[in-house]
């Protein structure tokens, strides 16, 4: 097993910070497009892709940011797993409670994820 060099660790930290910042922007953009009621055309497609990307990656990256010097495969596996789990659990809760509010769920996930993403953007492990 080889020890990563300082340059490799620095590149990994910069990449993690950049991804965290991009996910913060994606979450804010998804909420803004949702609040504006964008539904069709190019902006509607953009809203779809940005929202799905944020909901799948945002909560997971917020959790994965607490891993210290984990291999990239572990970070991405945790990111996708947590993101999918959070999205499915919130959807299941909304269906079971007969309270279908996907806009509210997006806002809730964004409000809970963005502070941790910003923390990881400042203090990348």
């Amino acid at each position: 097993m080889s020890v990563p060099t300082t340059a490799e660790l620095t590149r990994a930290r910069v990449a993690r910070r950049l991804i965290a910042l991009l996910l913060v922007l994606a979450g804010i953009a998804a909420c803004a497009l949702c609040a504006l009621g964008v539904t069709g055309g190019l902006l509607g497609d953009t809203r779809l892709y940005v929202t799905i990307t944020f909901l799948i990656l945002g909560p997971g990256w917020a959790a994965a940011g607490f891993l210290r010097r984990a291999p990239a495969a572990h970070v991405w596996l945790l990111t996708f797993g947590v993101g999918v789990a959070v999205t499915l659990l919130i959807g299941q809760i909304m269906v079971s409670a007969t309270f279908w509010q996907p806009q509210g769920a997006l806002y809730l996930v964004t409000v809970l994820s963005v502070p941790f993403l910003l923390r990881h953007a400042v203090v990348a492990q």
Side-chain angles (χ1 to χ4, degrees), residues 22-101:
L22 288 174
L23 287 171
V24 167
L25 292 175
I28 292 170
C31 287
L33 290 171
C34 183
L36 293 173
V38 174
T39 56
L42 181 63
L43 281 178
D45 292 342
T46 303
R47 175 186 172 189
L48 172 70
Y49 297 132
V50 168
T51 302
I52 289 174
T53 301
F54 177 74
L55 288 176
I56 298 298
L57 297 178
W61 197 261
F66 289 105
L67 294 177
R68 295 181 185 269
R69 296 189 181 175
H74 294 174
V75 172
W76 283 107
L77 184 63
L78 180 67
T79 297
F80 283 111
V82 170
V84 169
V86 165
T87 303
L88 288 175
L89 284 172
I90 290 175
Q92 182 62 43
I93 290 168
M94 287 190 300
V95 167
S96 297
T98 64
F99 184 71
W100 187 251
Q101 294 294 324

